[in-house]
Amino acid sequence: MSPVSNPRNGQRIKHPASTNFSDDQELSSVKRLKRLASNDSSCVSDSSGEDLLRSDTPRGPGLETEDVEENGDDDDEIKRAALSHRKTDLESALPSISTDKEAIEEYEISRAADPGLEGSAEARLKSRQWVRGKSSIYVDAFNLALDTVLEDEKHLFDEAESAVFEAWRELPYEAQYLYVRLFLRKTSRWHRINRLGYYSDIADLPAAVETLQQKRPLPTSSPPSQVNPGELEPPADLALGSSFSFADRSDKEINTLEEASSLLNLDELKTLAKDGKMQGKNKSELLKALRRTSKRQSQLGWSKLRRTETEETTGSNADSEDPETPRSNDDRCEASSNRDDYYVRKILAETGPCIRISMAPQKLFERVHLVFYRSTEWTEKSLTTLILARISRRNFPTYIISRSANIFASRSMLLEFEAAIRTQFRVDSILEFSGYPTQDGQQEVIDILEAVYPRWKILLEEEQSKETSIYASGEGSYLRRFSPAWVYTRIIHKGASVLGRLKMHKREHEVLSDLLGQRLFHPSRRGSWYQRKALLEEHYMYDLTSYDRRDTEAQKKHWKRIALKTCEEGLQDRDCHLIYHYDLQKRICKLEKSLKVAKREQHDFGHVGLCKPIEREVEGTRVVKEESVNNNNSRGRRVSEDANGSSRGSTKTIWIDEREGGGECSVEEMCLKINHRLVEIANGASERIIREVHEAESTRETCVVGLDWSYGLEDLLEIVRCFKGEALATICKVFAQEYTQRGGGIPDLFLWHPTQTEIMFVEVKSENDRLSDTQRLWIHVLTNAGIRVELCNAVAKEVVVVSAAA
């Protein structure tokens, strides 16, 4: 439903915030993203200014697309890459900031020191001082990650990989700078050397390119590639061979028309199309026309053409060939290849030499960053966070960090963990990033599930053995986040939902039973597993299993008793979150009524019933566009995604509290500090705490999840004065205990009356909408804290449909 003009007052009606509808959506959807005018094209800007993002795509014919800085019609591709990028929880909770190239260059210039500045990358990063042409935040951030990992975790890399690191350290600064800048870009793309534009930092660009493209020998002790469950067969160029180079040469690697044509921008394609009498309205059509033309020009006599021949010799070869002579399949293949060679040679003559980062060293450095950042989710932004922190675009609280060196027990476990998170990324790409998954996509997810399942069972036994014999102080709960089994558990959880979509309920029930049979991985999902398992047992399993001489009605009752037991186990499970209790309680009451359980034996949940809000109705006229009505009818019932089903990754370290003498702060000590702060809030110290934090951190705008510095101090203080101390402490305690689970479900509106010092939360619902479990739980928490909560039901007395053009 889109906002329209109200004929009564002539004003534009905006959508309420609760609808999550942007009033500028229609305008922004047709706008094309603009690129910042810049001599240095290494950074791509979307509408939010995030230039450090890069979007890697798999290599292969037909997958390479235009390079951003060279093409005029790539804005749509940039927009798609920006929209499809998956933000972490922290990024989603933090305000947007400027991360463009100019911000970094301005910062480097402002912090430039004397030409004689020396020291390590870490020292320069701490002092935030660089000398143009001799040091850079890009290179120092890259080297800091590498040096930190190799200091304590060098055992995770073999001899050949260590040789690559040594070769990297021997590179001159300009070669390192060029590599890192290309690493931050779309690494699978070819880049024209004559358009790189790093002349302010690289005095001799051709020498830097030649250094990166130089072949270097490697020791032959590297073990064979490790095969991991669920992983696609790795490309041949992923493994380090007897030699390597940091970058590829276009004259050696570009051999197909698909790769070569992706280098051309729109104007160059138009010129080529004009010469070849090809037609097309845009770049995509012109590329297709070029490939069609190359395939159908067999009459030109291409079978005799070689790369050394010139375009002018083509005619004589064609005249000498007998057109009546039949050609074999080999001749036709050779002709096709030579026709492609002609266009490849012509395109490369136009573009000049190109450079692309070699895949094997690139993946090796990405593995280094995985270890450095302790990543539990695959990301292509391995350096962005560090660079943003160093240029003070994002300021984090001051901590002393002590890294643990025993995260990965062996190189083999690291490789399997890396492969697992890549496989997880494949599953997420199919189910979440590409719209509704196709039949083939869903089958691929099931194939991945079945591939990782046996290995998952083995790792479960190993981790259970560690839990009972090795882990003594609770460190297992953290270290297990870096086990492949943690990733496999999430893949299996996602795969189970696909089994349900495809009506493979018996296998889904088996998978859910195994998931509930372990308690080590993803305990926060246990509630949803209980819910789904009970539903399957109540409605489907009776018809999918043996009757054992029971009739149909007895079989149904048998499985309903099993479903009842599942719900009871869920309520007794300490890891089943409270948010799932309401649904399980409803199902228990329903099952007991269906099974005709005696009243005295039925469960009574009256003592744990959720508080209900005060209800009121608001009547009005609903104005909708005709286009919206048609779209709603075609889509059918809207299904909202479960907030708890979203993927969440995290990066953890061991924190040292410098205010407590620099000692390690345990979980118990942290809980005591949180409880002490909650007592202060309950005793009316909220205003003092807000003033102190604002005075200490507002200038830096320190990044904290859930904190928005755009709100004025006086407004916050006015709101706090309307809260009772105990009520505010209750809300803060809920967030401190389980921020992940309670991030959603808060009522739509928060109202306060500064004169009467009253507050109220309001949840707004339409006629066909109902409260979710998370919303019911928040209403219960707020009501028990003494806060007024109302449920506002918006009722449409009439519906006015206007044309979409209105």
Side-chain angles (χ1 to χ4, degrees):
M1 185 173 67
S2 303
V4 297
S5 298
N6 188 338
R8 297 181 180 180
N9 55 18
Q11 295 181 353
R12 187 174 178 82
I13 305 173
K14 290 190 175 183
H15 285 273
S18 60
T19 63
N20 292 325
F21 186 94
S22 172
D23 291 306
D24 297 326
Q25 184 173 346
E26 292 182 352
L27 296 177
S28 61
S29 62
V30 298
K31 290 183 179 179
R32 301 182 66 190
L33 289 168
K34 304 299 181 181
R35 291 180 289 120
L36 294 179
S38 171
N39 295 328
D40 184 348
S41 55
S42 64
C43 297
V44 180
S45 296
D46 62 8
S47 59
S48 62
E50 293 206 342
D51 288 356
L52 292 174
L53 302 182
R54 57 182 173 86
S55 177
D56 289 347
T57 55
R59 295 182 184 177
L63 294 177
E64 301 290 348
T65 51
E66 314 78 77
D67 202 354
V68 175
E69 78 278 2
E70 300 167 2
N71 303 315
D73 63 338
D74 293 333
D75 298 310
D76 293 335
E77 178 192 345
I78 301 170
K79 185 175 182 178
R80 286 194 302 270
L83 293 177
S84 63
H85 171 70
R86 183 179 185 176
K87 288 189 175 184
T88 63
D89 292 346
L90 179 61
E91 292 171 322
S92 301
L94 297 178
S96 58
I97 57 174
S98 174
T99 62
D100 54 14
K101 174 186 68 68
E102 286 78 5
I104 294 179
E105 289 191 348
E106 178 184 355
Y107 182 80
E108 286 189 336
I109 293 173
S110 66
R111 300 296 300 177
D114 297 331
L117 177 68
E118 298 292 341
S120 64
E122 184 176 4
R124 287 193 296 271
L125 284 168
K126 288 183 177 180
S127 62
R128 298 178 179 177
Q129 292 183 329
W130 294 274
V131 179
R132 182 174 293 277
K134 294 185 178 180
S135 61
S136 167
I137 188 174
Y138 295 104
V139 179
D140 286 350
F142 192 92
N143 287 333
L144 175 64
L146 178 61
D147 294 342
T148 302
V149 169
L150 295 183
E151 182 178 358
D152 295 319
E153 297 169 282
K154 189 175 182 179
H155 63 280
L156 300 176
F157 305 93
D158 62 24
E159 185 178 356
E161 293 166 343
S162 298
V164 174
F165 300 146
E166 291 300 323
W168 167 261
R169 288 192 173 105
E170 294 173 0
L171 290 179
Y173 163 76
E174 292 187 349
Q176 288 189 349
Y177 180 86
L178 176 60
Y179 184 89
V180 176
R181 294 305 296 266
L182 295 178
F183 186 88
L184 284 168
R185 298 168 67 177
K186 298 184 179 182
T187 52
S188 61
R189 306 292 178 83
W190 286 98
H191 308 282
R192 300 193 196 185
I193 296 175
N194 56 14
R195 295 192 179 184
L196 288 176
Y198 297 132
Y199 301 110
S200 59
D201 291 273
I202 303 177
D204 192 347
L205 185 59
V209 171
E210 183 63 29
T211 301
L212 293 180
Q213 294 178 336
Q214 177 185 347
K215 285 287 185 180
R216 293 172 171 81
L218 284 176
T220 57
S221 62
S222 182
S225 298
Q226 179 173 312
V227 179
N228 301 291
E231 184 182 24
L232 293 174
E233 184 177 351
D237 54 354
L238 268 182
L240 293 169
S242 58
S243 63
F244 84 102
S245 63
F246 287 103
D248 296 330
R249 308 175 68 96
S250 56
D251 56 349
K252 301 291 185 182
E253 299 292 337
I254 298 182
N255 299 314
T256 64
L257 180 59
E258 284 78 9
E259 282 187 299
S261 59
S262 67
L263 298 171
L264 298 175
N265 60 31
L266 183 59
D267 292 336
E268 292 167 339
L269 263 179
K270 288 180 178 178
T271 302
L272 186 63
K274 185 177 181 181
D275 294 341
K277 298 181 180 180
M278 296 173 281
Q279 295 181 348
K281 297 180 181 179
N282 51 43
K283 189 168 186 178
S284 177
E285 293 183 5
L286 289 173
L287 286 174
K288 292 178 181 178
L290 172 62
R291 289 154 191 166
R292 285 197 304 266
T293 301
S294 176
K295 290 179 181 178
R296 68 168 181 253
Q297 288 183 338
S298 58
Q299 71 275 14
L300 296 180
W302 298 95
S303 60
K304 302 299 181 183
L305 184 64
R306 298 292 184 268
R307 290 179 72 90
T308 56
E309 293 178 319
T310 62
E311 186 176 356
E312 288 76 10
T313 63
T314 304
S316 60
N317 287 332
D319 295 337
S320 63
E321 186 176 3
D322 185 0
E324 301 298 328
T325 303
R327 299 171 61 187
S328 65
N329 289 335
D330 292 341
D331 290 336
R332 284 193 292 269
C333 292
E334 184 180 5
S336 177
S337 175
N338 287 325
R339 289 195 304 275
D340 286 357
D341 288 346
Y342 165 75
Y343 280 114
V344 169
R345 188 173 68 253
K346 190 168 185 177
I347 291 173
L348 293 181
E350 174 69 25
T351 62
C354 301
I355 186 174
R356 179 184 68 184
I357 291 181
S358 298
M359 183 175 287
Q362 170 208 334
K363 297 304 178 185
L364 175 59
F365 284 124
E366 287 180 349
R367 186 179 308 146
V368 170
H369 295 163
L370 183 151
V371 177
F372 177 75
Y373 287 107
R374 304 293 196 244
S375 303
T376 59
E377 190 174 87
W378 182 249
T379 177
E380 297 166 348
K381 295 175 57 181
S382 53
L383 279 180
T384 303
T385 303
L386 178 59
I387 291 176
L388 294 180
R390 296 302 179 180
I391 67 174
S392 296
R393 281 303 190 271
R394 278 183 178 160
N395 297 306
F396 296 94
T398 303
Y399 296 103
I400 302 173
I401 303 175
S402 175
R403 291 178 62 88
S404 303
N406 62 339
I407 298 297
F408 299 101
S410 64
R411 166 184 167 80
S412 176
M413 291 299 293
L414 169 61
L415 295 180
E416 185 176 0
F417 178 75
E418 179 187 17
I421 61 176
R422 288 182 183 276
T423 302
Q424 174 183 262
F425 186 79
R426 269 176 58 211
V427 172
D428 290 341
S429 299
I430 295 172
L431 299 181
E432 299 179 10
F433 301 160
S434 306
Y436 191 83
T438 63
Q439 187 75 17
D440 291 341
Q442 294 183 69
Q443 185 59 48
E444 183 179 352
V445 173
I446 293 178
D447 293 341
I448 293 173
L449 181 151
E450 300 298 346
V452 304
Y453 210 80
R455 176 60 177 166
W456 176 67
K457 300 282 283 187
I458 294 173
L459 291 174
L460 281 180
E461 295 180 1
E462 294 179 358
E463 290 296 328
Q464 188 60 55
S465 176
K466 291 180 183 177
E467 184 68 18
T468 56
S469 61
I470 298 178
Y471 301 142
S473 56
E475 68 273 21
S477 59
Y478 168 58
L479 295 177
R480 277 194 295 271
R481 295 299 300 268
F482 303 97
S483 167
W486 181 276
V487 188
Y488 293 154
T489 304
R490 185 175 180 274
I491 292 174
I492 293 170
H493 164 75
K494 292 284 185 178
S497 65
V498 177
L499 292 172
R501 292 179 185 177
L502 299 182
K503 309 300 182 184
M504 303 171 65
H505 297 310
K506 185 175 182 180
R507 179 56 176 156
E508 182 188 7
H509 184 267
E510 294 172 354
V511 171
L512 291 172
S513 299
D514 286 341
L515 287 171
L516 287 170
Q518 57 84 31
R519 290 184 169 275
L520 300 178
F521 300 100
H522 292 274
S524 62
R525 300 184 186 273
R526 295 183 66 83
S528 63
W529 296 338
Y530 279 116
Q531 282 182 329
R532 181 63 182 176
K533 183 172 178 286
L535 183 146
L536 293 176
E537 291 165 347
E538 180 182 359
H539 296 289
Y540 299 103
M541 293 304 296
Y542 76 92
D543 199 31
L544 300 174
T545 55
S546 173
Y547 277 54
D548 291 335
R549 299 182 180 180
R550 291 185 291 265
D551 59 24
T552 302
E553 195 62 31
Q555 178 78 345
K556 288 183 178 180
K557 288 185 177 181
H558 169 72
W559 277 103
K560 286 182 179 180
R561 293 189 188 97
I562 296 177
L564 180 60
K565 183 179 179 182
T566 298
C567 294
E568 292 172 345
E569 291 174 351
L571 293 178
Q572 296 168 6
D573 191 334
R574 67 179 186 277
D575 291 325
C576 179
H577 193 271
L578 183 63
I579 197 174
Y580 301 104
H581 284 202
Y582 179 73
D583 183 80
L584 294 175
Q585 291 166 3
K586 286 195 305 181
R587 190 173 298 278
I588 286 177
C589 295
K590 174 185 173 184
L591 288 170
E592 289 179 336
K593 183 177 181 181
S594 175
L595 292 170
K596 298 181 179 179
V597 177
K599 188 71 174 179
R600 64 180 180 276
E601 296 179 4
Q602 292 182 10
H603 289 80
D604 182 8
F605 299 109
H607 63 290
V608 292
L610 299 180
C611 298
K612 296 183 179 180
I614 302 171
E615 295 193 35
R616 69 171 66 210
E617 288 188 355
V618 176
E619 296 180 344
T621 301
R622 177 182 297 171
V623 182
V624 297
K625 285 189 176 181
E626 186 176 12
E627 180 183 24
S628 301
V629 175
N630 295 333
N631 289 340
N632 289 336
N633 291 336
S634 63
R635 285 194 297 265
R637 183 170 59 91
R638 180 177 64 87
V639 179
S640 59
E641 183 179 357
D642 183 6
N644 301 309
S646 61
S647 60
R648 299 184 181 273
S650 63
T651 302
K652 291 186 67 176
T653 51
I654 296 176
W655 300 102
I656 307 297
D657 192 344
E658 61 180 354
R659 292 171 296 183
E660 299 293 335
E664 181 177 336
C665 185
S666 65
V667 176
E668 292 78 8
E669 292 171 334
M670 187 63 69
C671 289
L672 289 174
K673 293 180 180 180
I674 293 175
N675 287 329
H676 178 70
R677 176 55 59 88
L678 292 175
V679 171
E680 288 184 309
I681 295 174
N683 290 334
S686 303
E687 283 193 63
R688 175 183 59 80
I689 294 172
I690 290 178
R691 290 186 184 277
E692 289 177 354
V693 173
H694 190 274
E695 182 179 352
E697 307 290 345
S698 61
T699 304
R700 298 177 69 240
E701 293 191 353
T702 305
C703 291
V704 178
V705 172
L707 177 59
D708 187 348
W709 289 101
S710 62
Y711 292 102
L713 174 60
E714 294 304 322
D715 291 336
L716 295 176
L717 295 176
E718 183 178 88
I719 292 174
V720 166
R721 295 187 192 104
C722 297
F723 270 96
K724 293 182 179 179
E726 297 85 353
L728 186 57
T730 299
I731 297 176
C732 292
K733 183 178 181 180
V734 171
F735 277 127
Q737 286 177 332
E738 42 196 12
Y739 183 84
T740 301
Q741 296 285 353
R742 298 300 183 92
I746 302 176
D748 298 316
L749 305 177
F750 170 70
L751 312 174
W752 74 96
H753 197 297
T755 304
Q756 300 180 10
T757 63
E758 295 179 353
I759 58 173
M760 180 173 66
F761 286 86
V762 179
E763 179 66 37
V764 181
K765 291 294 179 183
S766 62
E767 295 175 74
N768 300 322
D769 204 356
R770 62 184 181 87
L771 293 172
S772 67
D773 289 346
T774 54
Q775 291 170 338
R776 293 178 189 276
L777 201 56
W778 262 114
I779 291 173
H780 177 76
V781 169
L782 294 172
T783 303
N784 281 343
I787 299 175
R788 183 183 177 89
V789 182
E790 291 192 359
L791 175 61
C792 181
N793 296 307
V795 180
K797 295 182 63 176
E798 62 175 319
V799 177
V800 177
V801 180
V802 298
S803 64

